[in-house]
Amino acid sequence: MIEITQLTKSFEDKQVLRGITSRFDAGMTNLIIGQSGSGKTVLMKCIVGLFSPTSGDVLYDGRSFVAMDKAARTALRREMGMIFQSAALFDSMTVLENVMFPLDMFSDMAFKDRLRRARTCLDRVGLLDAERKYPGEISGGMQKRVAIARAIVLNPVYLFCDEPNSGLDPKTSLVIDKLIHSITHEYGMTTIINTHDMNSVLGIGEHILYLYNGMAEWEGNKDQVINTDNERLSDFIFASDLLKKMRAEVTKK
Amino acid sequence: MFILSGLHTFGAYLRLMGRVFSRPERMRIFFKQCLKEMAQLGVGSIGIVLLISFFIGAVICIQIKLNIQSAWMPMWVSGYTTREIMLLEFSSSIMCLILAGKVGSNIASELGAMRTTQQIDALEIMGVNSASFLILPKIVGLVAMIPFLVIFSTTSGVIGAYATAYIGHIITPTDLTAGMQHDFTQWYFWMGAIKSLFFAFIIASVSSFYGYTVEGGSNEVGKASTNAVVSSSMLILFSDMFLTQLLS
């Protein structure tokens, strides 16, 4: 479980996050949504420690990340897995080497065991036959799946996904969403997904935090989001005519 | 303002070097990385070093013979001057200036691209000291390979000078050999090698600094690459002045 309390972040005189408090439970897909510039990415970066919050705290199962020393932070980072918007695979390594990398760095397993574990994770995301390819030789969707395999190879406790569907077609996005959702339940991880994708919101949003202008505007789940009376959230979620129509039909029923 | 900005950059460079020079997390991976960098930065530069040094050796010999040597000078002057220029300055300093262009831009653009595609962030999230993991092998790899490049450069320059004798018939091989062997000071070779170690450190660390600290997109990566080459070259020339005085 990850808790954030009164989190603020300013860049010089510009305040981006304004006292956000929320809780992200384990074994759930927690979504952070909001318009561009609402502070989603900054919030994610504050949670994973790429940015230091101006004030407030981030608690990983009760452990304050802000108060931790460097060694404790490094140790905690080994419990984290992250999937970046751009997949962030290492260009100079093959798919298998990318997935094996965290094991090479942090585990004392024998080479055979590391190889077996990496192949198990690649198999889990359905990419065992692409293990010898380089990131440049596979599609964007496959890259995201490799990133998922790399993120889970060390059995992380916390999984972070920064716009995992960005740049993918709707069908591949669904595959990625389902994969993240099932892995979250399988491993009992605390998963936080930063997304713009309404399919993700309505499909896997077990806990949704809506940010507006750097503040936590609304919290709920995918069922509550459909019937929300929050105008800003409603405008954001049902921005397209198609979604408005779908919502009307659902409400009618 | 310019001084303040310079001091700010120097402070950031020192802070980065503080992170770079820490014990590698896995020595096995570190040695593997070092070997990769030695091949990429060192072995990959042998071709350009041999080619440029060959022609510069030849050109120096031709210039001295045709434009400087006169009747009152001994016949060995061309060979002697070619050897001394190659040993004292070209193979260490000028060759490193050339490498600052080739290797420096390579390092800065590689790290810059890694930064913009979030590969460095991915390392940090995993708990890897990305500065040490990425930069230290580059510094070690280039510093380890540079003395060999100096040797190749000097040898290639001497071969270039002999080419003017045997192929161009600008000078007789006997006169050239007499010059090459005249009053040889072994220390000059060591001086070039020692200077090159400093220059290799400058090229690898300064270029890494500019690449690693890129913020933005491809335009900034291009700027970082240019800054890396310009700053490395300036620092090489600046430190060459002090090192030459110190080692002579």
Side-chain angles (χ1 to χ4, degrees):
Chain A
M1 181 183 67
I2 298 171
E3 286 171 279
I4 48 174
T5 50
Q6 288 302 316
L7 204 73
T8 66
K9 177 68 185 171
S10 301
F11 294 98
E12 292 171 0
D13 53 351
K14 185 175 166 43
Q15 196 172 14
V16 180
L17 301 180
R18 300 159 193 266
I20 298 174
T21 299
S22 188
R23 199 180 82 179
F24 306 102
D25 287 323
M28 262 185 154
T29 43
N30 299 278
L31 268 57
I32 301 173
I33 60 169
Q35 285 161 309
S36 299
S38 59
K40 299 188 300 294
T41 303
V42 174
L43 176 60
M44 179 78 95
K45 287 188 172 178
C46 284
I47 295 172
V48 299
L50 287 176
F51 286 157
S52 300
T54 307
S55 67
D57 206 350
V58 180
L59 302 168
Y60 282 82
D61 289 307
R63 298 169 289 174
S64 167
F65 193 67
V66 175
M68 272 178 196
D69 61 15
K70 207 179 154 192
R73 276 187 179 207
T74 306
L76 180 64
R77 285 216 161 106
R78 286 170 198 170
E79 296 175 21
M80 296 180 191
M82 185 151 183
I83 300 153
F84 286 88
Q85 195 174 346
S86 61
L89 300 178
F90 305 123
D91 300 326
S92 57
M93 297 180 192
T94 62
V95 162
L96 182 66
E97 285 166 346
N98 261 287
V99 179
M100 274 182 81
F101 181 78
L103 293 168
D104 291 340
M105 288 301 289
F106 305 119
S107 86
D108 293 320
M109 291 158 82
F111 178 76
K112 261 187 178 176
D113 297 327
R114 280 183 273 141
L115 195 64
R116 193 179 307 131
R117 172 69 188 146
R119 284 191 170 140
T120 306
C121 291
L122 272 178
D123 193 28
R124 181 68 188 79
V125 298
L127 280 177
L128 199 52
D129 51 350
E131 65 172 42
R132 283 163 198 260
K133 291 188 173 164
Y134 283 88
E137 296 169 347
I138 57 177
S139 69
M142 287 164 89
Q143 287 183 13
K144 292 280 167 69
R145 279 147 70 195
V146 177
I148 294 173
R150 186 177 68 181
I152 62 169
V153 78
L154 282 175
N155 286 324
V157 183
Y158 314 101
L159 181 68
F160 302 95
C161 314
D162 186 18
E163 302 198 19
N165 297 335
S166 154
L168 301 180
D169 63 86
K171 205 174 169 185
T172 313
S173 297
L174 274 178
V175 172
I176 298 292
D177 279 347
K178 277 183 186 167
L179 197 56
I180 294 172
H181 187 248
S182 62
I183 283 170
T184 300
H185 285 262
E186 197 178 313
Y187 290 80
M189 294 182 293
T190 305
T191 298
I192 302 179
I193 306 170
N194 187 351
T195 188
H196 274 123
D197 190 343
M198 288 313 122
N199 287 327
S200 305
V201 174
L202 300 174
I204 59 166
E206 291 171 303
H207 169 235
I208 301 163
L209 169 66
Y210 172 60
L211 294 190
Y212 182 81
N213 199 19
M215 286 183 290
E217 172 84 9
W218 184 90
E219 274 189 273
N221 59 36
K222 62 179 177 181
D223 299 320
Q224 291 165 333
V225 91
I226 296 174
N227 301 310
T228 182
D229 51 4
N230 184 306
E231 267 185 44
R232 283 173 182 155
L233 175 64
S234 193
D235 286 348
F236 172 67
I237 297 277
F238 304 101
S240 76
D241 290 341
L242 182 68
L243 282 169
K244 272 179 194 156
K245 209 171 158 187
M246 279 168 62
R247 186 197 195 190
E249 278 172 19
V250 168
T251 339
K252 211 187 281 174
K253 279 177 191 172
Chain B
M1 197 64 193
F2 178 74
I3 295 171
L4 207 66
S5 152
L7 282 173
H8 182 266
T9 307
F10 184 61
Y13 169 80
L14 288 182
R15 274 205 311 275
L16 180 67
M17 287 304 116
R19 286 186 62 206
V20 167
F21 288 97
S22 59
R23 193 178 179 279
E25 273 142 296
R26 291 273 162 168
M27 290 313 277
R28 182 173 50 82
I29 294 179
F30 173 68
F31 286 127
K32 205 174 143 190
Q33 292 274 97
C34 284
L35 283 175
K36 195 189 116 201
E37 297 299 347
M38 283 164 83
Q40 191 178 322
L41 305 177
V43 178
S45 302
I46 290 176
I48 192 170
V49 165
L50 290 179
L51 194 74
I52 292 175
S53 303
F54 178 87
F55 287 112
I56 291 293
V59 167
I60 291 170
C61 191
I62 295 169
Q63 289 280 24
I64 303 289
K65 178 67 186 171
L66 300 183
N67 298 323
I68 294 178
Q69 192 157 31
S70 58
W72 53 269
M73 284 182 183
M75 297 305 283
W76 46 258
V77 161
S78 299
Y80 173 77
T81 315
T82 305
R83 185 198 74 201
E84 297 295 72
I85 291 176
M86 292 306 292
L87 271 180
L88 287 169
E89 276 305 311
F90 183 82
S91 293
S92 52
S93 316
I94 308 300
M95 199 261 301
C96 282
L97 274 181
I98 295 163
L99 285 181
K102 184 194 176 284
V103 175
S105 61
N106 176 309
I107 291 174
S109 51
E110 182 191 327
L111 291 179
M114 285 189 80
R115 170 67 74 192
T116 55
T117 55
Q118 297 182 301
Q119 292 176 50
I120 293 179
D121 287 345
L123 284 169
E124 288 290 327
I125 292 291
M126 286 177 201
V128 177
N129 177 350
S130 61
S132 177
F133 180 79
L134 295 171
I135 300 174
L136 192 56
K138 290 187 192 303
I139 294 175
V140 172
L142 192 60
V143 169
M145 286 304 287
I146 207 86
F148 297 102
L149 293 177
V150 169
I151 294 169
F152 289 146
S153 169
T154 311
T155 311
S156 183
V158 169
I159 293 170
Y162 271 100
T164 62
Y166 283 107
I167 301 167
H169 305 293
I170 304 287
I171 184 172
T172 66
T174 319
D175 288 343
L176 187 62
T177 307
M180 289 284 177
Q181 291 176 344
H182 181 77
D183 196 20
F184 178 68
T185 313
Q186 203 184 3
W187 171 244
Y188 290 172
F189 166 76
W190 294 113
M191 196 161 88
I194 292 167
K195 282 203 295 184
S196 71
L197 295 176
F198 284 91
F199 300 151
F201 177 79
I202 289 171
I203 295 169
S205 64
V206 171
S207 305
S208 296
F209 167 73
Y210 280 105
Y212 188 86
T213 53
V214 161
E215 279 176 17
S218 53
N219 197 23
E220 279 69 24
V221 175
K223 277 183 195 163
S225 191
T226 307
N227 286 340
V229 175
V230 172
S231 302
S232 304
S233 304
M234 295 295 284
L235 284 167
I236 286 171
L237 291 171
F238 187 67
S239 56
D240 187 28
M241 201 166 64
F242 291 100
L243 285 168
T244 305
Q245 174 74 24
L246 201 72
L247 297 169
S248 291

